[in-house]
Amino acid sequence: MGGFWPVADVLAHLAGRWRVERDVRDLAGGVEGRFEGATVFSPLDGGGLLHEESGTFSWHGVARPATRTLRFLPGPTPGTADVRFADGRPFHALDLTSGRYVADHPCAADFYRGEFTVADADHWRTVWRVGGPAKDLVLTTGYVREG
């Protein structure tokens, strides 16, 4: 990916439906998996977006349905977001005004660091590095706007 594409308002930019392809690499075990599906960002009552991801995750040669739900709420400054898990627990902040953002999330004994980059109006990507006593993963996700 070349330069980054600045996003003035992350919630307005993400609204809609995106095709998702995620590669998951277990660096310790050498196993690779893949998720293919879609993410829909739809309006939430009171502001923000509901992020609903669904598709198929293949791991160790077995394909299974997979889903994930997050809440992208208005952030502390205009154009940013406060990303929360479905149950309301904090996940990370998100500010794409430069087209790139790095987020950290401690989770029990594990640590997640995500890099978000925007290529243009219809393409963005995340790379999460997950480390901990039982995890050594890299999750690379590409998003392409549909419709």
Side-chain angles (χ1 to χ4, degrees):
M1 187 177 290
F4 305 120
W5 195 73
V7 172
D9 183 338
V10 68
L11 296 176
H13 176 73
L14 293 177
R17 182 177 174 89
W18 299 81
R19 186 174 71 246
V20 179
E21 294 182 358
R22 177 176 301 121
D23 292 318
V24 180
R25 289 188 354 221
D26 178 347
L27 301 177
V31 179
E32 295 190 13
R34 184 160 177 88
F35 172 87
E36 294 182 3
T39 295
V40 177
F41 289 90
S42 56
L44 276 170
D45 289 340
L49 298 170
L50 182 64
H51 162 283
E52 295 177 292
E53 181 178 275
S54 61
T56 302
F57 182 54
S58 299
W59 188 251
H60 291 278
V62 178
R64 293 188 173 99
T67 61
R68 177 172 69 156
T69 302
L70 299 170
R71 296 178 185 281
F72 282 60
L73 305 176
T77 58
T80 67
D82 175 20
V83 182
R84 304 242 166 194
F85 292 104
D87 64 7
R89 289 177 298 125
F91 188 9
H92 62 84
L94 185 58
D95 178 351
L96 294 175
T97 54
S98 71
R100 178 182 180 270
Y101 187 76
V102 175
D104 291 335
H105 175 74
C107 182
D110 301 322
F111 185 77
Y112 290 65
R113 169 159 285 160
E115 180 183 25
F116 297 73
T117 54
V118 182
D120 57 39
D122 298 323
H123 300 86
W124 62 288
R125 159 180 127 138
T126 64
V127 178
W128 282 98
R129 179 74 170 87
V130 184
K135 294 181 183 174
D136 192 6
L137 304 171
V138 176
L139 297 85
T140 304
T141 308
Y143 297 84
V144 178
R145 189 180 304 278
E146 292 185 342

